[in-house]
Amino acid sequence: MERTANIFRRSIHTFFQNYQYFTSTAAFLLLPVSVSVLLSQAVEFNSFPLLPTFLTRLQSLFDAAGFPPSSQFFFLLNLKLSQTISSSIFTFPFSLSFLLVAKAAIIQALHHKTSSSPPFSSSFSLYHPLLLTYLCNSFFIISAHATGLCILILLFNSFDAFGFSSPSFLFFLSAAGAVLYSVILCNTIIICNLALVVAGMENCGGFLAILKACFLIRGRDSAALSLALPVNLGLAFLEALLQYRLVRAYHLSRKLSSSAAFEGLLIAYLYSLFILGETIISCTFYKSCKSGLRIDGEDRYSHYRIENMEEA
């Protein structure tokens, strides 16, 4: 298995090797997706009518599950889940169209054997397996959220039944639950991103691609997390930058200038490049995993032959 730094270097080299193709074709396909994601997080609370409904429903679910009503952790969890659901609904049409076509174009370019970039029309042959895998990924992520909530329900109700309900203990249990929930969700998202690459590289879709991604990532969880962390930090930084530069300025003056709109478009383009980079890194990680499995298989075969020769 390659080191994380080597995978990063190969990904950067791949990006600059096909710089014009990636920045012109893939990045501009990703631009509508980035704009929709950033807009869904920049709108005010009352601008999206379903958000208060999600907040109310999830709060009723948390109350019925027996979660502490005064816990700051569950208030933030409720708010974040509601925003995630609202943002997913808002960006879903863009994800099914622009995002999947862009990922197909990137995967096709990286899977192409010649030095020149493949024609863009050839990437549409990968759209169907990517679409099936993306839909299955959505159910997989929903299941991960449900699993995390079930574990939290069991933890809090079990400790509450044994009388552990002091504020300090609830704070410690909330922190532990937040870490556990984050680990489950991070691993799920990494598997889903790798599953899209598997679907494009091996032309298989649906849950089969997810199973293959789980098999590839087995024993390589720390490397996958190390590769995903810089990209997600960059995306979070751009989201925070948009909130600070544009949303804050709009709330203060209630208007946006042309320079601010251009700055927002630039942030969205940088956001697109990070999504592009995540796909390239996932493709490089996939190739590294495949070569590692091939080397491990050859080593086991050589060891098996040596043992048989010694026995003979």
Side-chain angles (χ1 to χ4, degrees):
M1 180 66 189
E2 280 186 275
R3 295 178 58 184
T4 304
N6 293 336
I7 296 177
F8 268 118
R9 282 197 294 267
R10 285 180 55 196
S11 302
I12 294 172
H13 174 73
T14 301
F15 173 76
F16 284 107
Q17 192 176 20
N18 301 282
Y19 176 80
Q20 186 176 2
Y21 177 78
F22 286 140
T23 54
S24 61
T25 304
F28 281 109
L29 277 173
L30 289 170
L31 189 60
V33 183
S34 301
V35 171
S36 66
V37 172
L38 294 174
L39 279 179
S40 67
Q41 299 178 1
V43 294
E44 297 181 0
F45 179 82
N46 294 324
S47 299
F48 196 79
L50 292 179
L51 185 57
T53 304
F54 292 142
L55 282 170
T56 305
R57 297 298 183 184
L58 286 176
Q59 187 60 50
S60 301
L61 176 64
F62 289 171
D63 293 339
F67 290 146
S70 60
S71 176
Q72 187 71 15
F73 166 69
F74 289 106
F75 171 77
L76 295 175
L77 180 61
N78 183 11
L79 180 62
K80 187 61 180 176
L81 281 177
S82 301
Q83 291 175 345
T84 301
I85 296 172
S86 302
S87 177
S88 299
I89 293 175
F90 184 79
T91 60
F92 194 68
F94 297 93
S95 299
L96 290 183
S97 53
F98 292 101
L99 179 64
L100 293 184
V101 173
K103 283 184 175 290
I106 298 167
I107 294 172
Q108 181 71 16
L110 296 179
H111 195 52
H112 205 59
K113 301 301 182 183
T114 61
S115 58
S116 60
S117 298
F120 176 71
S121 58
S122 64
S123 62
F124 283 97
S125 61
L126 303 179
Y127 180 78
H128 186 257
L130 287 178
L131 176 62
L132 290 178
T133 307
Y134 186 84
L135 294 176
C136 293
N137 283 347
S138 301
F139 287 109
F140 190 42
I141 292 174
I142 292 173
S143 301
H145 280 290
T147 302
L149 287 176
C150 289
I151 292 175
L152 291 179
I153 290 172
L154 289 174
L155 282 176
F156 275 86
N157 283 279
S158 299
F159 282 106
D160 184 66
F162 286 103
F164 297 97
S165 58
S166 62
S168 58
F169 183 80
L170 287 178
F171 176 78
F172 170 76
L173 192 60
S174 298
V179 173
L180 180 62
Y181 197 96
S182 300
V183 169
I184 294 173
L185 193 58
C186 285
N187 282 279
T188 303
I189 293 174
I190 289 171
I191 290 172
C192 290
N193 290 333
L194 186 60
L196 287 174
V197 174
V198 172
M201 291 288 188
E202 302 185 10
N203 199 19
C204 63
F207 288 107
L208 178 61
I210 297 177
L211 290 175
K212 288 185 176 182
C214 292
F215 177 75
L216 285 175
I217 209 173
R218 187 178 57 181
R220 303 174 176 89
D221 306 71
S222 58
L225 287 172
S226 300
L227 292 171
L229 183 61
V231 177
N232 285 277
L233 286 177
L235 294 175
F237 171 77
L238 291 174
E239 292 171 2
L241 183 63
L242 182 79
Q243 293 287 333
Y244 177 76
R245 293 291 300 173
L246 297 183
V247 178
R248 177 173 169 269
Y250 177 76
H251 286 165
L252 292 176
S253 61
R254 287 296 170 180
K255 63 179 181 179
L256 282 178
S257 61
S258 57
S259 60
F262 179 77
E263 185 177 356
L265 189 63
L266 178 60
I267 293 174
Y269 182 76
L270 293 176
Y271 200 91
S272 303
L273 290 181
F274 271 96
I275 299 176
L276 170 70
E278 181 273 325
T279 308
I280 295 175
I281 291 172
S282 296
C283 291
T284 308
F285 180 65
Y286 165 82
K287 293 179 180 179
S288 177
C289 291
K290 293 291 285 188
S291 63
L293 288 175
R294 185 165 55 251
I295 292 173
D296 291 341
E298 291 175 355
D299 290 342
R300 286 195 295 268
Y301 178 70
S302 300
H303 182 69
Y304 176 76
R305 288 189 60 185
I306 292 173
E307 287 183 348
N308 288 340
M309 289 175 63
E310 289 177 352
E311 289 178 358

